[in-house]
Amino acid sequence: MTGSHHETPAIRVSLLAGLQQTFTLAWRTLLQIRHNPWELGDFSIQPVLFLLLFLFVFGGAIAGSTSDYLQFMLPGIIVMNMMFVTVYVGHGLNTDLTKGVFDRLRALPIARWAPLAGRILADLVKQAWSILLLLAVGFLLGFRLETWLGAVLLMGLLVLTMALAVSWIMVLVGVVARDPEHVQLFGFTALFPITFVSNVFVPLESLPGWLQPVVALNPVSTLTEASRGLLLGGPVLEPALWSMAWAALIAAVFAPVSLWALNRRLARSG
Amino acid sequence: MSRHAILADGLVKRFGDTLAVDHVDLAVPSGTVLGVLGPNGAGKTTTVRMLTTLLQPDAGRATVAGYDIRTQAHQVRQLIGLTGQYASVDEKLTGRENLLLIGRLLGLTRRQARQRAAELLGRFQLDEAAHKAAKAYSGGMRRRLDLAASLVGQPRILFLDEPTTGLDPRARLDLWQLIQELVREGTTVLLTTQYLEEADRLADNIVVMDRGRVIASGPPEQLKARVGARMLAITARTEADLPAIRDILSRMVHDRVEIEGLTIAVPADTPDVLPTVVRQLDAAGVAPGELMLRSPSLDEVFLSLTGHAAPEDSGESTGGGNP
Ligand SMILES: Nc1ncnc2c1ncn2[C@@H]1O[C@H](COP(=O)(O)OP(=O)(O)OP(=O)(O)O)[C@@H](O)[C@H]1O
Ligand SMILES: [Mg+2]
């Protein structure tokens, strides 16, 4: 135990204690939802709404029938939604920074990395929930899994791994933005082109030739292709490797940059 | 613990071209209260943030509870509590959840954390609001929750950055009482304030800061002796009465006489000032509109310590300085 109960205070936080603190902080982020149920809408209602809208508005025109389009689109919607949900990492972090909660945490004898890790962990829980929800609604609407159940799990892991990487971009946005509203503005503005210039809604082949290489390289596309492969059958290994390469690259660039920016911001806050 | 709960030696912090803290020395004996008094921009918050390990000093060194704030920050954090200038509670959680969170982070078991939260909520009269989200709290309640949050770990040393700024007089008195209780229990307190009265009331020693520097320090009595313990303020009924009043006052106190609007204020250090002034006003046939004794404002402290008025924007925040 810490605080006045220690006659001689500990020199550092143990890894185990740091992990516990991370879980506690993740719990806190999820607890916030209880008092702000509308937040649930951001990663529950919104993705389902997207699914339904695109399905019934475009389904007939693009794929000829909604049931075919559902097969095609569900994996892509899951990927797209994952991208959008990462914005909440930045949003939450920025709120903590601007409201002084981050300072309160930093003045506590906890692991230096726990506040950020807790936030990212909570985000992964939200992500997992969104994926499950979209799958459940998909199955209700008649989605047919054409592979095996374990493949669903693999798809989930793949998507969560990318979420973890993209979260680091949003950490940077959360640090740089003036207030939480700007996080959303930056975040969504950046994400819209990336998610829509992809194969989420239309097959790669239907796009103009000059655009195809770009779309094919887009991590959203590679991840969608891998997810389709896992749920519907088709190539998996190559797009999955591409996706993981992307995730590694994004994390390798943005994790250090984000941490640097965060420390810079903290060193300058008076 | 060492004899001094807080020792600072030549602390310096720069933000770009601003020298926010300029070689500040502090020595706070264990179990005492230090009041850091200063106008906006004096460097109070920056000093507190360095001492609480949130900010690295550019130069100088300091120990808190005997631990170096640079090299032993983790130890320092285990022994201090901080209530920042702006309430830093999680607005989306209830008061109780905020305290539970801190308790759990400090390594309390679930049951201990619950017990500690209940204790603090009771003590800070927040039981009724315990289950409401903190964003629905009033300013005073938020402040109390903030203070409660910094006490979860039973800190030996408590840092309070302008704990009562923005509170109404009643809430301010309540908070003073809570702080005094903590001090009786043995907590060392460093509090910053813009109100001389607050420092006078709570502190064993006062440090006056201006533009990043300590410009005066000592026990409140000593400081007040330099500044004038009380001010006599007379408000004339009409402008025509002003010269007569000013003449009487300046003859009596041989000191600077400050005029603001229809109000003239002078230090009133000796007990006979008030009766003498009343007699002389009466003899001169001047009936004042209002006549009162009050503590000097921060502006007046500054004027007598530095010879210059406090930096411009501090005026408005010291306006309510005499609750
Ligand atoms: N992050 C920062 N970047 C640039 N300048 C800063 C920063 N923080 C503080 N300053 C400057 O440093 C000086 C001291 O600021 P500080 O906040 O410590 O004063 P203070 O005494 O707490 O004032 P207040 O009563 O307004 O809270 C001011 O001139 C302020 O403008
Ligand atoms: Mg301040």
Side-chain angles (χ1 to χ4, degrees):
Chain A
M1 202 193 299
T2 43
S4 66
H5 310 279
H6 256 287
E7 268 321 302
T8 38
I11 292 174
R12 65 172 61 86
V13 196
S14 69
L15 182 64
L16 185 67
L19 287 174
Q20 275 169 352
Q21 290 151 7
T22 301
F23 282 116
T24 302
L25 287 162
W27 161 77
R28 165 232 169 189
T29 302
L30 297 174
L31 195 60
Q32 291 180 335
I33 300 167
R34 214 168 79 188
H35 305 289
N36 306 271
W38 49 264
E39 270 184 27
L40 199 63
D42 290 333
F43 51 91
S44 306
I45 300 170
Q46 192 175 295
V48 172
L49 214 61
F50 262 124
L51 175 66
L52 296 176
L53 279 176
F54 282 103
L55 185 60
F56 292 111
V57 175
F58 295 136
I62 297 175
S65 80
T66 45
S67 65
D68 285 348
Y69 195 50
L70 178 64
Q71 292 297 102
F72 174 79
M73 185 189 62
L74 186 65
I77 283 274
I78 289 174
V79 172
M80 180 187 90
N81 183 62
M82 172 276 288
M83 298 292 280
F84 286 143
V85 170
T86 57
V87 174
Y88 296 100
V89 171
H91 189 264
L93 175 64
N94 188 274
T95 308
D96 282 356
L97 284 169
T98 47
K99 298 265 166 166
V101 176
F102 209 79
D103 277 346
R104 157 132 270 147
L105 297 177
R106 284 205 308 138
L108 293 176
I110 60 175
R112 300 291 85 193
W113 44 269
L116 205 53
R119 173 131 324 271
I120 291 175
L121 179 63
D123 184 64
L124 287 182
V125 174
K126 290 181 191 174
Q127 293 280 11
W129 161 258
S130 283
I131 295 173
L132 284 175
L133 188 75
L134 281 170
L135 281 171
V137 174
F139 280 118
L140 277 179
L141 290 171
F143 181 79
R144 294 176 316 277
L145 179 64
E146 282 166 20
T147 51
W148 51 299
L149 213 56
V152 181
L153 202 67
L154 281 178
M155 182 225 46
L157 286 177
L158 218 52
V159 173
L160 288 182
T161 308
M162 183 64 87
L164 197 60
V166 177
S167 294
W168 284 109
I169 305 181
M170 293 307 158
V171 168
L172 183 63
V173 175
V175 170
V176 177
R178 194 163 7 129
D179 52 43
E181 287 68 42
H182 279 85
V183 174
Q184 262 161 322
L185 195 71
F186 287 151
F188 288 126
T189 310
L191 286 177
F192 266 110
I194 299 176
T195 47
F196 282 87
V197 184
S198 73
N199 61 0
V200 168
F201 296 106
V202 291
L204 184 62
E205 303 75 47
S206 70
L207 294 167
W210 58 270
L211 199 57
Q212 286 191 16
V214 181
V215 172
L217 254 183
N218 183 346
V220 173
S221 301
T222 62
L223 189 58
T224 299
E225 200 186 336
S227 302
R228 278 192 189 123
L230 282 164
L231 298 188
L232 306 172
V236 172
L237 194 62
E238 200 194 320
L241 283 177
W242 270 110
S243 304
M244 291 306 95
W246 266 117
L249 180 70
I250 293 170
V253 171
F254 282 92
V257 172
S258 301
L259 289 176
W260 170 80
L262 179 62
N263 286 328
R264 206 172 97 114
R265 174 166 177 160
L266 293 174
R268 290 191 166 190
S269 56
Chain B
M1 179 160 24
S2 51
R3 200 169 67 78
H4 281 108
I6 304 168
L7 265 180
D9 180 15
L11 284 182
V12 173
K13 186 72 197 180
R14 232 176 240 292
F15 294 110
D17 292 337
T18 318
L19 197 50
V21 171
D22 183 6
H23 293 90
V24 162
D25 303 331
L26 297 172
V28 187
S30 294
T32 68
V33 181
L34 177 72
V36 177
L37 183 67
N40 290 129
K44 304 183 296 294
T45 298
T46 309
T47 304
V48 167
R49 289 174 62 84
M50 285 192 284
L51 292 173
T52 52
T53 76
L54 293 178
L55 212 53
Q56 289 272 338
D58 292 331
R61 54 188 306 277
T63 59
V64 171
Y67 293 99
D68 190 294
I69 56 166
R70 269 179 217 264
T71 57
Q72 297 171 305
H74 185 61
Q75 285 96 316
V76 171
R77 291 182 196 122
Q78 289 168 68
L79 300 167
I80 62 166
L82 165 65
T83 303
Q85 182 165 359
Y86 305 102
S88 55
V89 295
D90 186 336
E91 299 187 339
K92 290 179 180 172
L93 299 187
T94 66
R96 183 165 171 277
E97 288 163 348
N98 265 289
L99 300 182
L100 284 179
L101 171 69
I102 309 275
R104 296 289 285 154
L105 287 175
L106 290 176
L108 301 183
T109 63
R110 215 160 287 187
R111 170 204 285 249
Q112 286 169 326
R114 262 188 237 136
Q115 202 178 336
R116 188 84 186 116
E119 243 169 70
L120 287 166
L121 289 167
R123 177 166 190 179
F124 288 78
Q125 294 157 19
L126 290 168
D127 333 64
E128 276 179 35
H131 294 280
K132 263 197 247 165
K135 65 169 168 264
Y137 282 23
S138 71
M141 288 160 73
R142 225 177 261 229
R143 268 275 158 214
R144 292 207 299 276
L145 178 60
D146 209 21
L147 185 55
S150 53
L151 294 178
V152 173
Q154 297 176 306
R156 287 186 206 166
I157 303 170
L158 189 59
F159 292 84
L160 306 171
D161 196 359
E162 300 199 23
T164 66
T165 299
L167 293 191
D168 64 46
R170 161 103 215 124
R172 176 170 297 163
L173 280 175
D174 285 349
L175 207 66
W176 283 358
Q177 228 158 39
L178 283 167
I179 296 169
Q180 279 166 332
E181 267 171 44
L182 291 169
V183 174
R184 269 199 298 280
E185 291 162 16
T187 313
T188 306
V189 176
L190 185 154
L191 75 95
T192 75
T193 181
Q194 302 201 17
Y195 310 129
L196 179 62
E197 189 186 350
E198 181 162 284
D200 183 22
R201 187 78 167 253
L202 298 173
D204 299 298
N205 284 291
I206 296 179
V207 156
V208 184
M209 285 187 75
D210 179 32
R211 300 173 192 178
R213 269 195 298 253
V214 173
I215 56 166
S217 64
E221 305 73 51
Q222 202 181 317
L223 216 63
K224 282 191 298 183
R226 282 177 67 183
V227 173
R230 314 235 100 203
M231 300 294 288
L232 174 64
I234 302 178
T235 307
R237 281 196 305 194
T238 67
E239 211 151 320
D241 289 344
L242 271 179
I245 298 176
R246 190 187 52 213
D247 285 349
I248 291 170
L249 289 178
S250 51
R251 230 180 302 132
M252 280 198 46
V253 295
H254 314 290
D255 205 338
R256 281 182 309 272
V257 172
E258 268 183 79
I259 307 186
E260 208 184 312
L262 287 177
T263 303
I264 308 185
V266 292
D269 300 316
T270 51
D272 58 328
V273 169
L274 185 60
T276 317
V277 166
V278 171
R279 263 198 309 278
Q280 297 205 7
L281 284 171
D282 198 35
V286 178
E290 197 180 313
L291 197 146
M292 68 170 182
L293 278 170
R294 57 169 174 77
S295 309
S297 68
L298 185 61
D299 287 326
E300 287 156 347
V301 173
F302 262 76
L303 197 62
S304 47
L305 288 178
T306 65
H308 70 81
E312 80 256 346
D313 59 337
S314 67
E316 116 216 25
S317 21
T318 51
N322 298 287

